Amino acid sequence: QVQLVESGGGSVQAGGSLRLSCAAAGYSTYNMYYMGWFRQDPGMEREAVAALAGRSGSIYYADSVKGRFTISQDNAKNTLYLQMTSLKPEDTAMYYCAADWRAYGGSWTDVSRYKYWGQGTQVTVSS
């Protein structure tokens, strides 16, 4: 059974930084086809923020976070990270870690292609 546990969320002023962590248990992060970060505001659809293809090392970002967020993973620690800088109030959301070992199932942005999800960590950015 794969478990994902996020941490690192919190409240910060605009322009500040946070680093989110996602500790994986039950499966190697290196062997995950995709590991990614999503975010969701209440009443809104969950949107893709960034993803990393474990075996190829390819990295993907949503346009809204390019140049500000950096996704990375430490396979020795089986942990995925999201370094967020120059935070804006519109980055406020619940952030979720997601993972899937399958090579098929859709694009990195598709919520439905991810089999495993964490419980989420709240990020609040004040102006």
Side-chain angles (χ1 to χ4, degrees):
Q1 181 71 17
V2 176
Q3 290 187 319
L4 303 175
V5 179
E6 303 98 333
S7 61
S11 297
V12 64
Q13 289 192 324
S17 300
L18 284 173
R19 188 176 81 155
L20 306 184
S21 299
C22 171
Y27 204 91
S28 167
T29 53
Y30 175 77
N31 286 321
M32 286 292 183
Y33 192 81
Y34 282 134
M35 288 200 74
W37 290 97
F38 285 73
R39 64 188 182 187
Q40 187 172 25
D41 267 334
M44 304 291 286
E45 291 189 356
R46 194 166 293 189
E47 65 170 350
V49 174
L52 190 153
R55 295 166 212 166
S56 71
S58 297
I59 290 176
Y60 309 90
Y61 294 103
D63 288 344
S64 59
V65 306
K66 278 181 183 175
R68 300 189 299 121
F69 290 11
T70 303
I71 189 171
S72 63
Q73 70 183 34
D74 184 334
N75 292 321
K77 295 182 178 180
N78 233 31
T79 300
L80 181 74
Y81 301 100
L82 185 68
Q83 179 69 49
M84 306 186 294
T85 63
S86 302
L87 282 161
K88 304 175 182 180
E90 51 264 44
D91 294 318
T92 295
M94 185 72 79
Y95 282 71
Y96 297 91
C97 174
D100 202 302
W101 54 265
R102 299 169 298 179
Y104 58 89
S107 165
W108 73 273
T109 59
D110 294 341
V111 171
S112 60
R113 75 99 64 231
Y114 291 87
K115 184 175 176 65
Y116 306 108
W117 291 86
Q119 82 289 350
T121 186
Q122 178 68 36
V123 171
T124 303
V125 184
S126 58
S127 56

